[in-house]
Amino acid sequence: QVQLVESGGGLVQPGGSLRLSCAASGRSFSTYPMAWFRQGSGTEREFVVGIRGSDNNSFYSNSVRGRFTVSRDKAKNMMYLQMNNLKPEDTAVYYCAAGIGRPIASSMRLASTYEYWGQGTQVTVSS
């Protein structure tokens, strides 16, 4: 049974940093795409960043580019999200997602690309 478990969320002041982790189990995703999505209160789930397993290329949303960095440890079946210079608008539940396909770049942003989802971890940016 595949499981994705996020951790590392919490309360941080504007301008602060957090590092999220996603632990995958049940199968290896080393050659497959993984991504982070987020959903704020009253908003739709939105793409944050994806990283393709086949070539390690990463794809960022404009709202986080330059502030967030995605990485993965294929040997540990883990993915991370380093979030710097956090803003109140980054407040959301952050979800880890993993797929088993070979998506093209434009498909990395689509929720339908990913078959597996974690339960989410809350990130709150507030003073």
Side-chain angles (χ1 to χ4, degrees):
Q1 181 181 359
V2 173
Q3 277 193 314
L4 301 177
V5 179
E6 304 93 338
S7 62
L11 173 64
V12 64
Q13 292 186 341
S17 299
L18 279 176
R19 188 191 192 212
L20 305 184
S21 299
C22 172
S25 61
R27 69 170 294 158
S28 172
F29 291 99
S30 63
T31 60
Y32 293 106
M34 297 186 75
W36 291 97
F37 285 75
R38 67 186 182 186
Q39 186 168 17
S41 178
T43 66
E44 293 186 355
R45 191 171 298 190
E46 67 168 339
F47 171 79
V48 176
V49 58
I51 182 166
R52 204 158 52 185
S54 57
D55 55 14
N56 283 329
N57 279 350
S58 54
F59 306 86
Y60 291 88
S61 69
N62 289 336
S63 61
V64 306
R65 185 177 292 111
R67 300 187 297 122
F68 291 11
T69 303
V70 66
S71 61
R72 58 194 300 178
D73 185 330
K74 292 184 175 182
K76 295 183 178 179
N77 221 15
M78 297 282 295
M79 180 177 64
Y80 307 96
L81 182 64
Q82 178 66 43
M83 306 186 294
N84 297 329
N85 191 21
L86 282 160
K87 304 176 180 180
E89 51 263 43
D90 294 318
T91 295
V93 177
Y94 283 70
Y95 297 92
C96 171
I100 55 174
R102 295 285 188 260
I104 59 176
S106 58
S107 296
M108 290 291 291
R109 303 174 179 271
L110 303 178
S112 58
T113 293
Y114 306 94
E115 286 81 7
Y116 303 103
W117 294 81
Q119 293 301 305
T121 184
Q122 176 70 46
V123 172
T124 302
V125 185
S126 174
S127 54

